Amino acid sequence: MMEWSGDLVHYRLGRAQETLEDARILARAGRWNACVNRLYYACFYGISALLVRDGLSSSKHAGVRSLFNRQYVKTGKVPKELARVYNDLFERRQEGDYIDFVSFGETQVLPWISKAEELLAYIIKLVEGEPS
């Protein structure tokens, strides 16, 4: 692996953790649609770090999702239940950002925060090469 890719992996993991904290801040403020957006991006950055570590990438969000599902979920490296978090947030973020009159509520979003935290923790362990 080239040295810069290691830097990029760490950078993206840092972005993932920072973005997850942004989601928590937005949740405390009751900004549910924005929170969903940040939850999705926290997972996206973490998964992007994993892809980069393994020499994979895509310039499109759907491509990242496809690579993640093909390389990690279908192979059993990431449990389907955890992967569902990212896949669901992908869809919810699309709705919240691009469809008029979509409004998420506290009871919908709060459970997604802990699930995103769990997925990100799992991804970090994979990236760092720790057994899951």
Side-chain angles (χ1 to χ4, degrees), residues 73-97:
V73 181
K74 288 186 179 178
T75 62
K77 293 176 185 173
V78 174
K80 288 181 183 177
E81 281 300 311
L82 277 180
R84 186 170 292 123
V85 173
Y86 175 64
N87 289 311
D88 288 348
L89 286 170
F90 177 91
E91 297 296 335
R92 301 300 75 80
R93 198 264 315 179
Q94 295 282 93
E95 292 171 10
D97 286 358

Side-chain angles (χ1 to χ4, degrees), residues 14-28 35 38-39 42 117 120:
R15 287 282 312 267
Q17 292 172 319
E18 180 181 311
T19 305
L20 184 58
E21 181 56 28
D22 292 343
R24 292 182 191 114
I25 291 166
L26 289 163
R28 287 192 292 273
C35 180
R38 296 291 79 198
L39 287 173
E117 291 169 340
L120 193 52

Side-chain angles (χ1 to χ4, degrees), residues 40-100:
Y40 165 74
Y41 272 98
C43 295
F44 173 80
Y45 293 137
I47 288 166
S48 294
L50 181 61
L51 292 174
V52 167
R53 184 205 66 179
D54 292 339
L56 303 167
S57 68
S58 175
S59 62
K60 298 186 181 271
H61 286 261
V64 168
R65 183 181 181 197
S66 177
L67 283 169
F68 174 65
N69 287 317
R70 185 172 55 244
Q71 298 293 322
Y72 303 98
V73 181
K74 288 186 179 178
T75 62
K77 293 176 185 173
V78 174
K80 288 181 183 177
E81 281 300 311
L82 277 180
R84 186 170 292 123
V85 173
Y86 175 64
N87 289 311
D88 288 348
L89 286 170
F90 177 91
E91 297 296 335
R92 301 300 75 80
R93 198 264 315 179
Q94 295 282 93
E95 292 171 10
D97 286 358
Y98 301 114
I99 299 176
D100 293 330

Side-chain angles (χ1 to χ4, degrees), residues 32 39 85 105-117:
W32 304 114
L39 287 173
V85 173
E106 178 178 4
T107 58
Q108 285 176 290
V109 178
L110 284 181
W112 295 338
I113 295 171
S114 60
K115 289 178 181 180
E117 291 169 340

